[in-house]
Amino acid sequence: MRRIRVAVATGTLLAACATVPAGIPSAQAAAATPGFHVRDGRLLDANNKDFVMRGVNHAHAWYPSKTKQALKDIKAKGANTVRVVLGTGDQWTKNDTADVTRVVSQCKANRLICVLEAHDTTGYGEAGAAVPLSKAVDYWLSVKGALVGQEKYVLVNIGNEPYGNTQYAAWTKDTKKAISRLRSAGLDHTLMVDAPNWGQDWSFTMRDNAAGVLAADPDRNTVFDVHMYGVYDTPAEVSAYLNRFTAAKLPIVVGEFGHLHSDGNPDENAIMATAQSKGIGYLGWSWGGNGSGVEYLDLVQDFDARRLTGWGKRLFDGTNGIKATAKEASVFGGSRQQDLPTA
């Protein structure tokens, strides 16, 4: 099923977005990794504490003037993580080294783990202006100075939704190549890789090749990211997809999801409940600024934290929501450190 995409320009925001072999070794290099790392299918922080993302997406690339206050507000709502939209300069204005450095500093000041994502790859192969993952790698290498030394606080999400619903068979090869280039260039961060099919992986391309992608990472430090919109409109579909990863000890996060979408009605209750029971991270789309018919995905109105939308109330304050389940990363010295899930 296709995710509907709208162009972003001057104030309109893109509305984001077989059997897996078990027993993949995931921690050969973890001891030498200075920050976040993967072990036995779990994401651990620099203190070897289990970390489960609970947070939101923020469209810094299109609303940079809103970021400083947005990060403060997102933290005040209880989040422990923010996924930050960046432009590579291919479709959208490049967020350069100085800007990325500033964003990371602001995330740290607010005790938020920062997932940085390059958005210009969105829907490659189907969206005409999208660029391949190789261009996203070029971008990360160009801003390497903002990344190195931040491994305790930053995850690098290589490219947002790097294939649409065509040519997605190349996802595995291209993802392995992107990881290899980043590792060869000296990036030791936990890498996050998005699924094809506009992030929803209805073809199961990521699911069925995740083990091989993780094994191809010399650091064994890659997390997989599925975006759950209209394809995931029943509890059975949500649990079946996520359970395949957890059963195989492959790290998975729901990097985007919403309560409604133009391609169907995602089951946000099932997504949040399953994520909580399995100790899987989730990041809701998005803090604010959505347009072209998907304004309902805004968590707050007009970037005003005092004006939560219905979606915002559900995500932050509802059952299995951020306020009730988020625990701050131990690298910030907080008291609410994450325990390993029991279910």
Side-chain angles (χ1 to χ4, degrees):
M1 186 180 298
R2 178 176 177 175
R3 285 280 309 284
I4 302 299
R5 279 291 190 271
V6 294
V8 175
T10 59
T12 310
L13 183 141
L14 223 63
C17 57
T19 302
V20 179
I24 294 298
S26 57
Q28 287 90 330
T33 302
F36 277 100
H37 53 282
V38 168
R39 181 177 299 159
D40 295 327
R42 305 297 306 170
L43 177 64
L44 306 183
D45 69 16
N47 295 326
N48 289 315
K49 296 290 186 179
D50 198 67
F51 182 71
V52 178
M53 296 182 197
R54 289 285 182 268
V56 306
N57 289 263
H58 169 63
H60 173 71
W62 306 303
Y63 301 102
S65 66
K66 303 292 187 181
T67 298
K68 185 176 181 179
Q69 186 62 47
L71 295 177
K72 292 179 181 178
D73 293 337
I74 289 166
K75 178 63 176 182
K77 294 296 183 187
N80 63 20
T81 305
V82 62
R83 183 171 179 259
V84 180
V85 176
L86 298 176
T88 68
D90 295 293
Q91 287 200 66
W92 296 289
T93 301
K94 180 178 179 178
N95 297 106
D96 63 14
T97 301
D99 188 49
V100 176
T101 298
R102 185 162 47 249
V103 169
V104 171
S105 177
Q106 291 170 355
C107 284
K108 290 167 65 177
N110 287 290
R111 302 163 74 93
L112 287 165
I113 295 304
C114 192
V115 178
L116 300 173
E117 64 101 336
H119 211 80
D120 299 47
T121 56
T122 305
Y124 178 70
E126 186 175 358
V131 297
L133 277 173
S134 59
K135 297 290 287 184
V137 174
D138 292 343
Y139 170 72
W140 294 121
L141 298 185
S142 78
V143 298
K144 180 180 175 182
L147 306 175
V148 173
Q150 303 301 326
E151 295 86 354
K152 293 181 180 181
Y153 309 101
V154 170
L155 285 75
V156 175
N157 190 174
I158 303 177
N160 185 69
E161 302 179 1
Y163 274 97
N165 292 328
T166 60
Q167 304 180 39
Y168 55 81
W171 177 90
T172 303
K173 171 180 62 69
D174 289 349
T175 301
K176 288 179 178 179
K177 186 178 296 185
I179 292 170
S180 176
R181 285 184 61 200
L182 291 171
R183 295 300 186 216
S184 295
L187 265 67
D188 293 322
H189 304 69
T190 295
L191 301 176
M192 204 155 94
V193 296
D194 282 13
N197 311 130
W198 300 99
Q200 297 202 78
D201 201 29
W202 58 258
S203 65
F204 302 134
T205 300
M206 183 173 80
R207 186 197 72 178
D208 294 349
N209 292 282
V213 169
L214 180 60
D217 178 358
D219 290 354
R220 304 297 194 271
N221 194 16
T222 296
V223 172
F224 299 93
D225 176 19
V226 64
H227 296 175
M228 289 189 160
Y229 292 98
V231 170
Y232 298 92
D233 57 359
T234 67
E237 289 167 319
V238 171
S239 61
Y241 190 89
L242 296 178
N243 287 346
R244 291 287 285 271
F245 281 82
T246 57
K249 294 189 174 181
L250 293 165
I252 182 73
V253 63
V254 182
E256 289 184 24
F257 71 108
H259 67 312
L260 293 171
H261 207 268
S262 50
D263 68 350
N265 186 8
D267 191 335
E268 70 277 9
N269 294 326
I271 293 167
M272 295 166 72
T274 304
Q276 181 60 18
S277 69
K278 295 292 182 180
I280 293 170
Y282 66 64
L283 303 168
W285 185 276
S286 66
W287 183 245
N290 290 284
S292 295
V294 292
E295 291 84 357
Y296 51 77
L297 286 171
D298 284 354
L299 293 162
V300 298
Q301 298 179 47
D302 299 323
F303 291 97
D304 185 347
R306 298 166 298 181
R307 301 169 63 199
L308 282 174
T309 63
W311 170 220
K313 291 174 183 177
R314 174 66 190 95
L315 183 67
F316 287 109
D317 300 331
T319 304
N320 299 310
I322 288 172
K323 188 174 292 184
T325 66
K327 296 184 179 183
E328 190 174 83
S330 75
V331 293
F332 295 119
S335 58
R336 293 193 70 202
Q337 296 177 3
Q338 193 78 36
D339 298 319
L340 286 169
T342 57

